[in-house]
Amino acid sequence: MQLGMIGLGRMGGNIVRRLMNNGHHAVVYDKDPAAVAALAGHGAVGASSLEDLVAKLDKPRAVWVMLPAGPITETTIETLHKLLDPDDVVIDGGNTFWQDDIRRAKALRERQIHYVDVGTSGGVWGIDRGYCMMIGGDKKVVDRLDPIFATLSPGIGDIPRTPGRDGRDARVEQGYMHTGPVGAGHFVKMIHNGIEYGLMQAYAEGFDILKNANGAALPSEHRFDLDIADIAEVWRRGSVIPSWLLDLTASALADNHTLDNYSGFVEDSGEGRWTINAAIDEAVPAEVLTAALFARFRSRQEHTFSEKILSAMRAGFGGHKEPQQHPDPVRQSGPKILKPEAERS
């Protein structure tokens, strides 16, 4: 199947590589010509502009936008709105706010252009592991794109099957799911990332307690000089708290048990904030997720070993780099909830 990809960063480029490695065809565009040239060298068709990309795709077109959530995604989709034809599909695989999906889909529908939102999890490892995908959109359109999603998905692998799933959608066991209408994919991914905050914070705080178990303020008989790298490793094997996040933590600690190569300045993405907004809207108590979000705010003022653990996990699964200073003055001011794109000035 042929796919157009806009945005060839950590995720977009690897998505294209995984597709081409499995027989699909890609037309690619990025503002960085070197990124386009690199994929063209692997067999993709390079495009010099959005107009050029659209012209090189066969109808009905499928165009995947893999850009940071915010103005750049907004303007890109607005441009595609003018360039595409009826029955073409725009796929947004970034971390977009789900209500913006609904607004965009409504606008595209005026020209009979379809819109599909894909919450995509897998980070920089997805090219090999595959991507867990939560997909929102019209069923007929999602089914049309199934060859793309099936190739990108991780497959059932060696995870034991869950008893009692007979008769349910078999795609779910392959690692991708049609969650519902437009917006549902990014809504589910938003909650996924909110949970991720809580899981990461739990690991981070636990390892911080272990690290400080030999503190001078403790009575000598209550002190333990613990090897936290080995503790992380033993927990991976047979305990009740294993996960990919623990795998990444164990790897980081094995490489540098003090983690002094991390500052402990922990970014947060929009999904964590939007998850708390959803909990407020639904009157659902979310104490752990809220505390995890606020811990990231605090990390920008003082850094603990706990935050270094968080930074190590973020670098491990997503290739996230610690900023030298906070790039967003709105977020610098503290725990102010981000507004959806449609409400931002």
Side-chain angles (χ1 to χ4, degrees):
M1 188 172 178
Q2 186 191 55
L3 179 74
M5 177 64 75
I6 300 170
L8 306 175
R10 291 190 302 259
M11 294 281 282
N14 281 348
I15 285 173
V16 170
R17 291 181 179 91
R18 185 173 174 90
L19 289 172
M20 292 194 303
N21 288 345
N22 289 276
H24 295 278
H25 304 281
V27 181
V28 299
Y29 171 70
D30 191 279
K31 65 179 182 179
D32 180 5
V36 175
L39 279 170
H42 286 278
V45 176
S48 59
S49 65
L50 294 180
E51 292 81 0
D52 188 32
L53 178 136
V54 169
K56 289 176 175 176
L57 287 168
D58 300 329
K59 298 180 182 181
R61 307 175 181 92
V63 182
W64 187 308
V65 179
M66 202 64 176
L67 297 169
I72 187 171
T73 295
E74 191 73 18
T75 56
T76 298
I77 292 177
E78 286 175 357
T79 302
L80 290 174
H81 187 175
K82 301 171 185 176
L83 296 174
L84 295 176
D85 295 314
D87 208 30
D88 290 346
V89 185
V90 173
I91 306 164
D92 183 357
N95 287 324
T96 289
F97 182 59
W98 61 276
Q99 291 183 16
D100 291 325
D101 290 319
I102 295 172
R103 170 178 53 79
R104 292 173 187 162
K106 182 178 180 181
L108 290 169
R109 200 175 297 121
E110 294 174 358
R111 294 199 57 218
Q112 299 176 43
I113 300 169
H114 307 292
Y115 184 95
V116 172
D117 56 291
V118 182
T120 311
S121 181
V124 295
W125 300 89
I127 186 172
D128 298 316
R129 292 169 58 103
Y131 300 90
C132 175
M133 291 167 290
M134 297 135 270
I135 306 162
D138 181 79
K139 184 179 184 304
K140 290 183 179 178
V141 179
V142 173
D143 287 348
R144 182 204 300 181
L145 298 169
D146 191 73
I148 295 293
F149 301 136
T151 297
L152 293 176
S153 70
I156 195 165
D158 57 1
I159 298 174
R161 302 189 70 176
T162 301
R165 286 198 52 85
D166 295 344
R168 290 180 175 269
D169 188 346
R171 294 174 296 183
V172 173
E173 289 186 311
Q174 301 298 315
Y176 67 110
M177 175 184 178
H178 180 208
T179 57
V182 167
H186 278 143
F187 185 87
V188 174
K189 178 58 163 50
M190 174 184 77
I191 304 304
H192 165 283
N193 283 27
I195 292 170
E196 177 185 291
Y197 277 38
L199 290 172
M200 292 173 70
Q201 189 65 29
Y203 282 125
E205 292 177 8
F207 281 106
D208 205 359
I209 295 168
L210 292 170
K211 179 179 181 294
N212 287 283
N214 199 28
L218 295 170
S220 58
E221 66 271 23
H222 292 175
R223 297 179 196 171
F224 300 105
D225 186 11
L226 301 170
D227 188 324
I228 57 174
D230 280 358
I231 291 170
E233 185 64 29
V234 78
W235 281 351
R236 294 180 61 220
R237 304 179 184 281
S239 84
V240 298
I241 59 166
S243 72
W244 186 25
L245 293 172
L246 182 59
D247 294 345
L248 296 170
T249 302
S251 178
L253 289 169
D255 182 61
N256 182 349
H257 73 279
T258 65
L259 298 185
D260 54 14
N261 50 327
Y262 295 98
S263 72
F265 186 112
V266 186
E267 261 284 13
D268 72 280
S269 58
E271 300 93 330
R273 304 185 185 206
W274 299 335
T275 297
I276 305 310
N277 278 338
I280 293 169
D281 291 342
E282 299 169 15
V284 173
E287 297 96 331
V288 171
L289 305 190
T290 304
L293 175 63
F294 275 65
R296 296 194 177 198
F297 297 151
R298 185 195 50 71
S299 79
R300 294 156 205 171
Q301 300 170 17
E302 55 175 309
H303 310 319
T304 67
F305 188 74
S306 174
E307 274 79 54
K308 293 184 179 185
I309 290 282
L310 291 175
S311 290
M313 282 188 274
R314 281 170 50 81
F317 68 75
H320 300 286
K321 306 296 183 185
E322 294 176 326
Q324 296 301 310
Q325 59 183 8
H326 207 292
D328 183 350
V330 173
R331 294 185 185 178
Q332 277 184 317
S333 63
K336 181 177 180 181
I337 303 300
L338 282 179
K339 295 180 179 180
E341 291 170 20
E343 299 179 15
R344 296 177 202 159
S345 58

